[in-house]
Amino acid sequence: MAANIDMHTHSTASDGVNSPALNIRLAAEKGMGGLAVTDHDTVSGVSEALCEADNYSNFICIPGIEISTLANGQDIHVLGYFIDHENAEFLSKLEQLRTVRNKRNEKIVKNLQKLGFSITMEEVAAKKKSSGGNIGRPHIAEVLMEKGIISSLREAFEKYLGKGKAAYAVTERISPAEAIKIIFDAGGVPVLAHPGLYDQDELIPMLKEQGLAGLEVYHSDHSAEQEAHYRHLAERYQLIPTGGSDYHGIRNGTVFHGELGNRYSDLKTVERLKSFSKKYR
């Protein structure tokens, strides 16, 4: 089996461009050993991905999620792997999280309107690639690009949508520790996503005490220096180092955050994670 398993991908179930099945096919065509389906605050794409993965021998599809949380006024994302994606209590909690996500999107659009831009939630919602998908900032960026307000996804986040930028907004969300518990209760394994984007390394030992199992060391937006730094912290706090591209597909000719498979974990790492799962071990 190929060793490269991309542990962080998004589909049309949230703010990705490709269907879950297409992401699986693309990974298989690249000769990858598998991928994790980690859409924002939803597992609605997992079943489709698992079904498609059955068409390829020796290919691993990991049911996962990326839960949005808040700490010190900043978005913090917690990945969950080997989730029981049919757990009724888990699905109910995710529905509550999506309500909060929608409020955040509405605040961002209102902030853009205050800046003088003609943009509506209806236009943003129309960018969803599936009727059941979640809306995220890339959908907002897509509208801004079409209107000629910005020329790229990167510009959208650097000027308006990124942390601390002109239209950025946060809403009350659960804490990272609460997300860890939600993941545990669904039989999953919690990993802190892209720590290099937060500048809050003090969270790592705190969340380790709450049951954090891994740290996303290798990510498309991490520099080589950051990867070395977080590899060291993973060793220091006895966390499993993982890697994922955070692939969202191609919008207006731009890949956001990185190409499928450009960061990955090996099979040994995946097996270590799996050993922590109450459902799959």
Side-chain angles (χ1 to χ4, degrees):
M1 175 187 289
N4 52 333
I5 301 166
D6 192 332
M7 300 295 287
H8 194 160
T9 69
H10 295 274
S11 74
T12 49
S14 62
D15 55 352
V17 173
N18 301 335
S19 70
L22 179 54
N23 277 348
I24 296 291
R25 289 201 296 274
L26 291 173
E29 289 169 3
K30 282 175 170 278
M32 294 165 55
L35 60 76
V37 182
T38 55
D39 281 303
H40 295 287
D41 303 321
T42 183
V43 288
S44 65
V46 169
S47 293
E48 178 184 325
L50 288 171
C51 184
E52 178 65 24
D54 285 341
N55 295 322
Y56 306 94
S57 60
N58 297 319
F59 188 94
I60 297 173
C61 178
I62 301 167
I65 193 165
E66 185 173 17
I67 295 182
S68 304
T69 77
L70 193 67
N72 303 318
Q74 182 177 1
D75 284 332
I76 304 293
H77 292 177
V78 181
L79 293 158
Y81 297 116
F82 297 104
I83 290 286
D84 180 358
H85 65 287
E86 296 176 333
N87 181 294
E89 184 177 353
F90 178 60
L91 295 176
S92 176
K93 289 178 179 176
L94 294 184
E95 184 62 35
Q96 297 172 29
L97 296 181
R98 288 193 291 274
T99 298
V100 174
R101 169 177 281 271
N102 290 337
K103 290 180 180 177
R104 192 279 301 266
N105 293 329
E106 290 168 2
K107 288 180 69 172
I108 291 175
V109 168
K110 286 181 180 178
N111 288 342
L112 288 167
Q113 291 170 347
K114 290 177 182 176
L115 291 170
F117 301 130
S118 174
I119 182 172
T120 66
M121 275 305 303
E122 289 74 20
E123 290 174 315
V124 174
K127 296 303 174 186
K128 289 195 303 179
K129 306 303 179 183
S130 71
S131 59
N134 290 341
I135 296 174
R137 285 179 292 174
H139 295 116
I140 300 173
E142 200 169 343
V143 175
L144 294 178
M145 280 191 287
E146 285 193 357
K147 290 177 176 288
I149 296 168
I150 43 88
S151 59
S152 67
L153 281 169
R154 180 176 294 277
E155 184 182 358
F157 279 79
E158 288 179 348
K159 284 188 175 181
Y160 303 111
L161 306 181
K163 176 189 174 185
K165 303 306 179 182
Y168 184 71
V170 294
T171 52
E172 287 302 317
R173 282 180 164 164
I174 63 172
S175 69
E178 288 174 293
I180 288 173
K181 184 178 187 306
I182 289 172
I183 291 166
F184 270 139
D185 289 346
V189 186
V191 171
L192 183 63
H194 39 62
L197 303 187
Y198 308 137
D199 194 26
Q200 292 195 46
D201 287 358
E202 67 277 6
L203 281 175
I204 296 171
M206 293 168 56
L207 295 179
K208 167 68 175 180
E209 292 181 2
Q210 300 297 320
L212 187 72
L215 192 65
E216 190 175 47
V217 170
Y218 308 101
H219 182 271
S220 298
D221 293 334
H222 282 180
S223 65
E225 292 77 15
Q226 285 177 315
E227 290 185 347
H229 172 68
Y230 288 109
R231 186 165 59 245
H232 168 73
L233 290 187
E235 293 173 359
R236 178 179 176 183
Y237 296 113
Q238 296 182 304
L239 294 166
I240 300 170
T242 69
S245 64
D246 208 349
Y247 179 70
H248 283 66
I250 300 174
R251 274 189 169 87
N252 295 73
T254 302
V255 177
F256 182 77
H257 292 265
E259 288 282 2
L260 186 67
N262 77 340
R263 297 290 190 280
Y264 55 85
S265 293
D266 59 20
L267 184 58
K268 182 178 179 180
T269 298
V270 172
E271 291 297 333
R272 286 181 67 193
L273 286 169
K274 191 175 182 179
S275 72
F276 282 87
S277 169
K278 289 186 292 185
K279 178 176 172 61
Y280 286 86
R281 65 186 174 194

